[in-house]
Amino acid sequence: MKSYTVIELLNSETLLQEVTVKGWVRTFRANRFIALNDGSTINNIQCVVDFENTNEDILKRIGTGAAVSITGELIESQGKGQKVEIQVKEVTILGDADPEEVSKTILQQKRHTLEKLREQAHLRTRTNTFSAVMRLRSSLSFAIHKYFNDNGFYYMHAPIITGSDAEGAGEMFRVTTLDPKNPPLDEEGNVDYSKDFFGKETNLTVSGQLEAETYAMSLGKVYTFGPTFRAENSNTSRHLAEFWMIEPEVAFMDLAGNMDLAEDFMKSVLSYVLEHNADDLAFLEERLIKEDKTKPQAERSEMTLTEKLRFVIDNNFKRVSYTEAIDILRNSKPNKKKKFKYLINEWGADLQSEHERFLVEKHFKCPVILFDYPANIKAFYMRLNEDEKTVRAMDILFPGIGEIVGGSQREERLDVLKEKMAALDIPEEELWWYLELRKYGTAVHSGFGLGFERLVMFATGMSNIRDVIPYPRTPLNAEF
């Protein structure tokens, strides 16, 4: 007999049919009512056991956390809260869960803090909060691929191991087979990487952008969506050492087109989860509302989770130059009254999250795209403006989270790119292929980058990036 998922049964219009469903017991009440969940939905299906005609040994083994297979008749529910339930004919125990052991874990029926759930990350997706987060993560991933596929982009896989530092920051994890205690040395006493596996110094990638540019300059529109690694010592709730990056790259597109693409993309993927993950979003929203009530008034969110998503989807993104934004911030009340942790005193300052959120939530009251940043605070590959002080870079700012997307028009002029690399001591031989792109039909091209986990944070309302990752053990900067 076919085994159905819980979500299939809850959405079924056909009653009085015999069905089989497999899942984990959430609760077992009065020796009769099993709340069963299989991860396909945040909702449980109620299974009603005829305990008088069920083996007592089986009944004793139906406890929280146990894996069971249930066969019975799908009928209209007699109670409130669910449309259908299963009148159980047979229960098979697939995997026991010792009640004493369960009582020591987060599977026990009580409310746990997120900190407690992180201590047992291998079990936390059995909870409503984390199962909802992971289903939303999956839907967002699908929506990303769907958007690019529907809009004529080609998916490419950028290398994970690379010899180039795309950002020019040097914060990379080294990949080597050399003996760390006794590496081979050259005549000058430096590590001789010619003896290494790849014959040169290599690292884990921080971005697939540079490789994506090579494909964009032949295929037109491409994107990468893969793992990246930053050895940045940022011990905050929003930084990971390993994360996934979404990076589209488009030939013949300038900065204005890049802004259009990013805005349309963000609205599309968030609209997708609003439509397809309503139950999970409703649960997470209710959780956040309850959590907010425990906070001081000043720390409470002004918008619910759904309102934040609609705030992005329903509003046009305001486009503001960096220079204009600095003037606004410099003259703002929080800055003048020294309520910002980082005061804005001069042009060229790197904006912090508090500044970005002020622009979005207080000043413009809509998503904001900042553009034309000072060249000295942005990467070498960004297109230099005619004033030679600013570059055609952009950041998109959202409520509650600040900067979420970063992008730019790329520098297509070979001579200018060489000058910028020389100024930053970036060896031409390491990026010879990147420079050669500018020799054969150079053209305007642009793209942006979006950390996937930050997008999941925004869509789920979670405040700590540790709570949107699927790994039981994670290479995090932030402390657990």
Side-chain angles (χ1 to χ4, degrees):
M1 177 181 290
K2 173 187 174 182
S3 180
Y4 291 85
T5 63
V6 170
I7 195 169
E8 286 176 325
L9 295 178
L10 292 177
N11 292 334
S12 177
E13 299 294 334
T14 306
L15 300 179
L16 303 179
Q17 61 172 321
E18 187 167 281
V19 297
T20 295
V21 61
K22 298 174 183 178
W24 295 273
V25 177
R26 285 287 179 87
T27 60
F28 184 36
R29 297 182 296 108
N31 234 22
R32 187 177 183 189
F33 301 105
I34 301 173
L36 193 72
N37 190 280
D38 65 354
S40 62
T41 172
I42 199 166
N43 300 308
N44 306 320
I45 190 166
Q46 180 167 278
C47 307
V48 184
V49 178
D50 180 1
F51 64 90
E52 293 180 346
N53 295 304
T54 301
N55 187 297
E56 188 174 342
D57 290 337
I58 294 290
L59 291 174
K60 289 179 180 179
R61 295 169 66 191
I62 305 174
T64 296
V68 300
S69 175
I70 288 176
T71 298
E73 189 175 35
L74 188 68
I75 63 172
E76 184 177 353
S77 179
Q78 303 303 305
K80 296 180 180 179
Q82 63 274 326
K83 184 177 68 173
V84 296
E85 62 186 23
I86 298 175
Q87 196 71 43
V88 178
K89 293 182 179 179
E90 181 182 356
V91 180
T92 302
I93 307 297
L94 303 177
D96 289 285
D98 186 333
E100 186 174 339
E101 291 296 321
V102 168
S103 69
K104 301 173 185 177
T105 72
I106 58 175
L107 297 180
Q108 60 182 303
Q109 294 302 305
K110 60 177 286 188
R111 184 176 177 83
H112 301 284
T113 64
L114 293 177
E115 287 77 10
K116 181 66 176 178
L117 295 179
R118 291 184 204 120
E119 293 173 6
Q120 298 176 25
H122 60 299
L123 296 174
R124 65 181 181 173
T125 47
R126 293 273 193 100
T127 67
N128 283 335
T129 297
F130 280 92
S131 64
V133 168
M134 291 306 149
R135 278 188 294 270
L136 275 159
R137 183 184 172 105
S138 179
S139 289
L140 282 168
S141 179
F142 177 79
I144 288 162
H145 287 295
K146 183 178 186 302
Y147 176 86
F148 287 126
N149 186 69
D150 290 349
N151 285 277
F153 283 74
Y154 297 103
Y155 181 37
M156 60 157 289
H157 298 90
I160 292 175
I161 300 173
T162 177
S164 67
D165 177 358
E167 300 297 323
E171 296 166 336
M172 305 180 76
F173 290 101
R174 183 172 298 147
V175 177
T176 181
T177 58
L178 298 179
D179 183 351
K181 294 182 179 179
N182 188 30
L185 304 178
D186 60 22
E187 294 179 355
E188 297 177 354
N190 299 316
V191 175
D192 186 358
Y193 286 103
S194 68
K195 302 292 195 300
D196 208 348
F197 185 86
F198 294 104
K200 61 184 295 187
E201 189 171 1
T202 54
N203 307 279
L204 294 177
T205 184
V206 298
S207 170
Q209 176 206 312
L210 303 190
E211 289 80 10
E213 285 187 53
T214 67
Y215 278 78
M217 296 306 286
S218 58
L219 298 178
K221 297 195 291 186
V222 301
Y223 74 104
T224 72
F225 185 8
T228 53
F229 307 84
R230 297 276 172 87
E232 181 182 2
N233 190 22
S234 296
N235 300 309
T236 77
S237 62
R238 295 185 180 181
H239 284 84
L240 290 170
E242 174 187 348
F243 57 101
W244 283 65
M245 279 286 284
I246 305 140
E247 297 175 296
E249 201 71 31
V250 183
F252 314 113
M253 184 176 75
D254 61 11
L255 185 62
N258 202 16
M259 295 180 192
D260 292 340
L261 174 65
E263 180 173 347
D264 188 57
F265 167 79
M266 296 301 291
K267 289 182 175 183
S268 175
V269 296
L270 293 176
S271 294
Y272 183 90
V273 295
L274 266 181
E275 180 181 352
H276 292 87
N277 293 79
D279 287 346
D280 290 323
L281 286 170
F283 171 82
L284 291 172
E285 181 171 286
E286 184 179 354
R287 188 193 74 82
L288 288 169
I289 291 171
K290 290 178 180 178
E291 186 180 89
D292 257 5
K293 290 179 180 178
T294 66
K295 298 178 180 178
Q297 188 66 40
E299 296 179 16
R300 296 180 186 179
S301 175
E302 294 182 4
M303 290 184 279
T304 67
L305 178 57
T306 304
E307 286 171 345
K308 283 183 181 178
L309 300 184
R310 294 246 63 103
F311 180 88
V312 172
I313 295 166
D314 296 339
N315 284 298
N316 292 327
F317 292 14
K318 178 69 175 178
R319 302 183 183 189
V320 185
S321 72
Y322 167 90
T323 299
E324 183 182 349
I326 285 293
D327 287 340
I328 292 169
L329 291 166
R330 187 185 292 158
N331 295 311
S332 68
K333 286 183 179 180
N335 198 60
K336 288 183 175 181
K337 293 184 177 181
K338 298 184 178 182
K339 290 188 176 181
F340 283 144
K341 183 179 179 181
Y342 299 95
L343 299 179
I344 297 293
N345 296 316
E346 59 183 12
W347 189 91
D350 206 352
L351 301 188
Q352 304 298 317
S353 179
E354 60 180 340
H355 308 134
E356 295 164 344
R357 291 186 59 182
F358 173 82
L359 292 170
V360 173
E361 298 168 21
K362 304 298 183 182
H363 189 81
F364 291 109
K365 297 184 178 180
C366 65
V368 173
I369 305 179
L370 296 185
F371 64 91
D372 285 357
Y373 277 81
N376 64 343
I377 64 172
K378 290 296 182 179
F380 76 95
Y381 51 73
M382 297 182 179
R383 176 57 153 83
L384 195 65
N385 279 317
E386 285 67 24
D387 61 12
E388 297 189 350
K389 294 181 180 180
T390 60
V391 288
R392 295 177 190 173
M394 68 159 188
D395 285 335
I396 296 182
L397 317 179
F398 275 9
I401 201 167
E403 185 262 319
I404 192 168
V405 173
S408 71
Q409 183 176 320
R410 316 311 189 189
E411 182 57 75
E412 83 280 8
R413 298 167 296 179
L414 179 60
D415 57 337
V416 177
L417 190 58
K418 282 187 171 185
E419 289 174 8
K420 293 176 75 175
M421 289 175 64
L424 294 169
D425 293 323
I426 300 174
E428 288 189 17
E429 58 268 23
E430 291 295 329
L431 292 172
W432 64 267
W433 48 273
Y434 189 70
L435 291 169
E436 289 234 330
L437 282 179
R438 277 72 182 169
K439 293 182 180 180
Y440 307 108
T442 189
V444 169
H445 58 288
S446 301
F448 63 81
L450 166 61
F452 181 51
E453 281 74 17
R454 184 160 289 200
L455 175 61
V456 179
M457 279 181 70
F458 180 75
T460 59
M462 305 302 283
S463 60
N464 195 310
I465 204 161
R466 293 173 287 178
D467 299 326
V468 301
I469 52 178
Y471 326 115
R473 295 175 185 159
T474 309
L476 291 169
N477 298 75
E479 297 179 359
F480 274 92

